[in-house]
Amino acid sequence: MPATDPNIVISDVSKRFERRGQTFTALEHVDMQVAQGEFVSIVGPSGCGKSTLLYMLGGFVAPSGGQLSAGGKPVTGPGIDRGVVFQEYALFPWLSVADNIGYALVRKGLPRAEQAAIVARYVDLMGLRGFETAYPRELSGGMKQRVALARTFAYDPGILLLDEPFGALDAQTREIMQDELLRLWRSNRKTVVMVTHDVDEAVYLSNRVCVMSHRPGRIVEEFPIDLDHSASREDVVVSATYRDQRNAVWLAVRRQVTRASGGAAA
Amino acid sequence: MSRLGSLAGRIGSGLAPIALLLAAWQALSWAGAIDSTTLPAPAATLAALARLLEGRGFFVDLGITVLRGLGGLALGAAVGIPLGLLMAVDRRAEGFFNPLVKATYSLPKTALVPLFILWFGIGSVTNVLAVALSTVLPIIIYTYHGVQSAPKILIWSARAMGTTERRLLWDVLLPAAQHGILTGLRIGLGFAFLIAIAAEMIAAQLGIGKLLFMYGETGAYDFMFAAVTAIVLAAYAADRALVAVSDHLLRWQEPAHGRTGS
Amino acid sequence: MRVLLSLAKLYPLLLVAIAWELAARAGLVRPIFLPPVSTVIAALPALFWSGDILAPLGTSLYRAALGLAVAMIVGIGLGFLMARVRWIKWLLDPLVSLAFPSPKVAFLPIFVLWFGIDHLSKIALVAITCVFPFIIAAEAGARTVSRTQLWAAETMGTSRSGLVFRIILPGSLPSLMSGVRIAVPFALVSAFTAEMIAGGGGLGGDLIYAQRFFETTTVFALLLVMLVTGYLADALVLGLRRRVLRWHEG
Ligand SMILES: Nc1ncnc2c1ncn2[C@@H]1O[C@H](COP(=O)(O)OP(=O)(O)O)[C@@H](O)[C@H]1O
Ligand SMILES: [Mg+2]
């Protein structure tokens, strides 16, 4: 797969939180590199620090130790080069669907006609036709998530940071959106870091899957994925390669989950 | 349209019990069970209200009181909303104003009226300033908490999409604080008429508060009751109008989030 | 150390006091309009020992407390009834929503007509001002008690009055305490205001008296006493709420 210079570098990153006077270590010794145009997924048990890692890449949360860089520059804060899709959608509830999707385009200062054209394209692409003037509260969870994806794709950041972007979708829509993401990624080769707890999703979409451990969170295993993404979904899913790689990742996650629940019981 | 319709429906269904109570009261008056000199019957009060509404004088007094109340509220909002915003985004401003707000919050606000009379004399300046000072504190506090309650994740996502700190105020903090600001305004509106009327009752040449006292002293009790009725209705109308504006401004909000209406 | 730090945070109050003192001392304003803050504070002990603070404070607190008690009993009763009895809700709901935003002080001339200018008219104004927060808090609180909780209590042999006092009342306490927090400052302000308008002593009456005779130092001293009273009352309510609601929210 792509072997250009790394676009994202995470070296020896750790994150500690203060909780009722005690410090507890959420992440420790996290090392990871993502090449330009690579699609990497991070899977792991819930609460292991996946969102926190993504927030640090987004520049919202500072690491307690270690360095992160994106596009060759150290991460010091949020930047328009890194688009983030949050687990909780983070739509602006006071803006309509169209205004949410167009928000960053206004900030970029694009001409109005161009803004409208891009918004219209993503409204169509995400199947939101007819809801342009609706407020987020009038949408189902799945539709909100589509607006959140559209809002980030619309302004075309070089790096996509996705936090469980399909978590709220029903199984059918989920597959459609996954294929849509895959199509987008194949056409423009963004660098993508996606957090998910769905092993099938991670394996189906990524070039590489990183498995995280629980407490402290760190990357314990990595699986290069080698699927022919130009094939149809059916062909991929029934292929032996997919099945083997999926099983390998599933077992690795399983080990972490049992370790985590065993640790919690102790 | 449907909102207007439902409002009309609500008022209509609320009118029936009030009419029932008034009818019972009127019947008791006729039966002589209530002394109608100190508690005028609804019919007498309505007749007096009709007479009041015929002349211009009553509207002048009512208008003056309403203008003082709303003027004071506007002044309070003009100071309170920016100050609340500033306190929410600037730590030093918060450190400076927070103790002052806390220290003055528990002062019973009408108590400032005598002091203001001393400073500014009897009249609209005293009245408007007393209203402004009473309304500014809840507006500051609710604005401040409104901004503070802006979800962190919205601020993050705005920043990720290239929002500068200055735009953040307009794009995220202010909209997120809308609910708080409007709640503060509604509480302020409640104070506004109270303080305006109380100040007029303490000392004034004009205004509905003054008028009420005059009717009381001259024994024109049916007019006194009529004037009280007019005040109650005016305050209710002002409150409903503010709620309608709030509901419109907050139409994006989840209904479960508790719109201001009740 | 902690105490010192939290005291240091109060520096704006000190700044205001210094500005006030300087403005008065420099003769920027005449002392009849703004006496120096030091003069006001120096006047407090004399006023205190002569009884010129305690006696009117007692009068005002008596009126506020009695009115508050009436409002509490009537308001909680009506609120519970509105939550449980359909026709009472139907009858009172429009009345409550009409009266809630009204400036209650407008009723004072009526109360003076009915009850004279002594204690009773003031107590009535306090009661009518405070009754609405209690009605609303009690109704909202009683609605949080679920039907299944009531059924459970009934199957365990609770009588009808027992349901009110052992289930509905404790279940509504969080909401009622919020009502108390709103009502207590209302009670103070309406007692003071009634005294300022209708006379009859109390801190409000004395304040107006001092203002008429341009005893500005006394005006400020009384304002200070009112402020501290309001502050302590709120602190008391907060303390009470913490004690009463220990079971609430873990
Ligand atoms: N701001 C914070 N303060 C304290 N603890 C936090 C904070 N953010 C996250 N955590 C804790 O860090 C751990 C990792 O959280 P998170 O990154 O959300 O996990 P994931 O996304 O993998 O489910 C959790 O135990 C969480 O409770
Ligand atoms: Mg997460």
Side-chain angles (χ1 to χ4, degrees):
Chain A
M1 269 268 103
T4 45
D5 45 300
N7 194 7
I8 294 175
V9 179
I10 302 174
S11 49
D12 197 21
V13 158
S14 61
K15 181 71 193 174
R16 284 177 289 278
F17 288 112
E18 287 286 335
R19 209 190 256 167
R20 292 199 202 103
Q22 288 185 317
T23 50
F24 98 99
T25 308
L27 293 165
E28 203 172 45
H29 302 308
V30 179
D31 284 288
M32 191 174 153
Q33 299 199 346
V34 184
Q36 175 76 47
E38 197 184 5
F39 193 133
V40 172
S41 289
I42 302 174
V43 294
S46 145
C48 70
K50 307 183 292 291
S51 293
T52 305
L53 185 60
L54 214 65
Y55 292 164
M56 291 194 288
L57 278 174
F60 313 120
V61 171
S64 310
Q67 284 91 38
L68 302 102
S69 72
K73 283 175 297 191
V75 173
T76 52
I80 196 133
D81 55 323
R82 281 154 287 142
V84 186
V85 176
F86 292 92
Q87 195 173 359
E88 306 89 341
Y89 329 125
L91 300 179
F92 300 123
W94 49 84
L95 295 183
S96 67
V97 165
D99 288 344
N100 261 294
I101 298 177
Y103 179 85
L105 307 176
V106 179
R107 293 276 73 76
K108 267 181 147 181
L110 291 190
R112 259 168 197 273
E114 201 174 327
Q115 287 177 24
I118 296 177
V119 169
R121 201 170 84 229
Y122 279 94
V123 164
D124 278 346
L125 200 63
M126 296 290 173
L128 294 163
R129 186 62 85 65
F131 288 89
E132 293 92 332
T133 58
Y135 288 108
R137 74 174 167 89
E138 298 164 277
L139 307 179
S140 66
M143 289 171 91
K144 283 184 205 170
Q145 208 152 36
R146 268 139 61 195
V147 177
L149 287 165
R151 183 174 71 167
T152 303
F153 293 161
Y155 73 95
D156 202 28
I159 295 174
L160 289 174
L161 306 172
L162 315 176
D163 194 356
E164 312 222 1
F166 307 119
L169 303 182
D170 60 87
Q172 278 75 37
T173 320
R174 200 180 168 99
E175 291 189 351
I176 294 170
M177 298 311 297
Q178 286 169 354
D179 285 327
E180 201 54 56
L181 175 62
L182 207 51
R183 205 179 54 76
L184 271 166
W185 175 73
R186 278 216 315 274
S187 65
N188 57 23
R189 289 286 158 166
K190 305 263 180 220
T191 307
V192 182
V193 177
M194 180 177 80
V195 159
T196 177
H197 57 242
D198 181 341
V199 170
D200 295 81
E201 176 173 284
V203 173
Y204 179 70
L205 291 174
S206 322
N207 303 132
R208 181 153 54 99
V209 176
C210 300
V211 177
M212 275 182 73
S213 66
H214 188 67
R215 214 159 272 184
R218 69 174 69 152
I219 292 167
V220 282
E221 287 183 66
E222 290 195 26
F223 297 86
I225 305 296
D226 185 17
L227 296 173
D228 176 13
H229 279 129
S230 58
S232 74
R233 187 176 195 104
E234 291 80 2
D235 291 341
V236 172
V237 170
V238 298
S239 70
T241 341
Y242 173 80
R243 199 192 53 217
D244 293 346
Q245 291 179 343
R246 185 222 164 256
N247 288 350
V249 176
W250 186 83
L251 284 170
V253 173
R254 173 98 191 141
R255 279 193 291 278
Q256 293 312 317
V257 173
T258 38
R259 205 177 63 85
S261 58
Chain B
M1 207 54 227
S2 71
R3 188 173 296 162
L4 266 181
S6 82
L7 181 69
R10 261 214 323 271
I11 291 177
S13 70
L15 238 38
I18 289 186
L20 190 75
L21 289 170
L22 289 178
W25 177 355
Q26 183 70 46
L28 286 174
S29 270
W30 272 328
I34 294 176
D35 176 7
S36 60
T37 50
T38 56
L39 181 51
T45 303
L46 276 181
L49 187 60
R51 293 253 316 275
L52 280 183
L53 297 181
E54 269 167 19
R56 266 192 64 239
F58 179 72
F59 283 104
V60 171
D61 279 308
L62 185 64
I64 281 179
T65 306
V66 168
L67 279 183
R68 284 169 171 169
L70 294 183
L73 180 64
L75 194 59
V79 175
I81 295 173
L83 201 56
L85 286 173
L86 181 69
M87 282 169 63
V89 297
D90 186 317
R91 284 194 80 100
R92 263 176 318 166
E94 186 195 353
F96 183 76
F97 288 110
N98 212 12
L100 293 178
V101 169
K102 278 206 176 124
T104 42
Y105 200 78
S106 44
L107 179 73
K109 299 302 170 310
T110 47
L112 287 172
V113 173
L115 185 67
F116 286 0
I117 291 177
L118 213 55
W119 284 351
F120 310 111
I122 292 168
S124 288
V125 176
T126 286
N127 211 316
V128 168
L129 281 183
V131 173
L133 223 75
S134 315
T135 51
V136 77
L137 292 177
I139 293 175
I140 290 176
I141 288 179
Y142 278 90
T143 304
Y144 172 82
H145 286 305
V147 176
Q148 298 266 298
S149 71
K152 192 163 62 179
I153 202 144
L154 293 189
I155 297 171
W156 284 358
S157 81
R159 287 209 177 115
M161 290 185 283
T163 310
T164 59
E165 290 304 300
R166 179 167 311 190
R167 289 279 347 161
L168 197 65
L169 185 68
W170 292 107
D171 286 1
V172 180
L173 300 183
L174 208 54
Q178 257 180 36
H179 184 263
I181 292 173
L182 289 165
T183 308
L185 278 177
R186 192 170 178 209
I187 292 173
L189 181 66
F191 283 140
F193 288 121
L194 177 90
I195 307 289
I197 292 174
E200 287 167 357
M201 285 181 165
I202 291 169
Q205 269 111 33
L206 286 169
I208 201 92
K210 170 77 186 165
L211 200 65
L212 274 180
F213 246 66
M214 209 187 67
Y215 290 140
E217 273 163 17
T218 55
Y221 298 131
D222 46 352
F223 282 97
M224 187 171 86
F225 275 80
V228 172
T229 308
I231 293 170
V232 170
L233 290 176
Y236 179 74
D239 185 61
R240 279 292 120 192
L242 184 58
V243 170
V245 171
S246 295
D247 282 354
H248 179 72
L249 288 175
L250 299 178
R251 61 194 180 285
W252 50 270
Q253 210 168 52
E254 302 276 350
H257 211 74
R259 294 209 180 161
T260 41
S262 61
Chain C
M1 198 54 220
R2 260 231 188 111
V3 179
L4 272 182
L5 232 98
S6 57
L7 274 182
K9 281 194 189 139
L10 297 179
Y11 78 95
L13 296 178
L14 196 68
L15 282 183
V16 169
I18 291 173
W20 172 359
E21 182 77 17
L22 288 181
R25 289 254 173 244
L28 293 178
V29 277
R30 287 168 52 199
I32 200 173
F33 292 127
L34 188 70
V37 64
S38 55
T39 312
V40 174
I41 290 170
L44 278 173
L47 284 171
F48 190 82
W49 293 119
S50 68
D52 284 347
I53 287 176
L54 282 188
L57 178 63
T59 308
S60 296
L61 287 183
Y62 165 76
R63 290 164 176 166
L66 223 59
L68 193 66
V70 172
M72 195 183 284
I73 293 166
V74 174
I76 293 177
L78 286 179
F80 282 175
L81 281 174
M82 282 173 73
R84 295 282 149 207
V85 186
R86 281 279 270 300
W87 68 266
I88 291 185
K89 167 94 176 149
W90 175 83
L91 193 67
L92 292 186
D93 223 15
L95 216 57
V96 171
S97 58
L98 188 64
F100 187 65
S102 75
K104 313 294 177 305
V105 72
F107 295 101
L108 185 62
I110 297 178
F111 294 144
V112 170
L113 169 66
W114 289 346
F115 306 121
I117 59 160
D118 204 23
H119 291 319
L120 208 52
S121 57
K122 281 139 202 147
I123 293 170
L125 184 70
V126 173
I128 195 95
T129 308
C130 299
V131 77
F132 294 101
F134 279 119
I135 292 179
I136 288 169
E139 194 198 342
R143 284 190 188 284
T144 62
V145 180
S146 68
R147 260 189 329 182
T148 43
Q149 278 171 317
L150 288 175
W151 287 340
E154 272 181 317
T155 56
M156 289 183 275
T158 317
S159 67
R160 269 192 89 86
S161 65
L163 282 184
V164 172
F165 287 103
R166 253 178 257 126
I167 311 297
I168 300 180
L169 192 61
S172 323
L173 266 183
S175 174
L176 287 177
M177 288 310 295
S178 311
V180 172
R181 180 124 199 251
I182 296 171
V184 164
F186 275 15
L188 287 176
V189 74
S190 44
F192 294 147
T193 308
E195 291 164 354
M196 283 191 270
I197 295 167
L203 283 178
D206 285 13
L207 182 69
I208 286 289
Y209 196 80
Q211 177 250 314
R212 294 242 165 92
F213 292 92
F214 292 95
E215 291 168 11
T216 315
T217 308
T218 313
V219 169
F220 275 100
L222 290 175
L223 282 176
L224 222 55
V225 173
M226 287 179 171
L227 192 138
V228 171
T229 308
Y231 189 82
L232 290 182
D234 192 53
L236 200 73
V237 171
L238 280 182
L240 188 73
R241 178 159 78 169
R242 251 197 307 279
R243 282 193 77 92
V244 171
L245 298 184
R246 247 184 309 218
W247 54 272
H248 193 58
E249 290 160 4

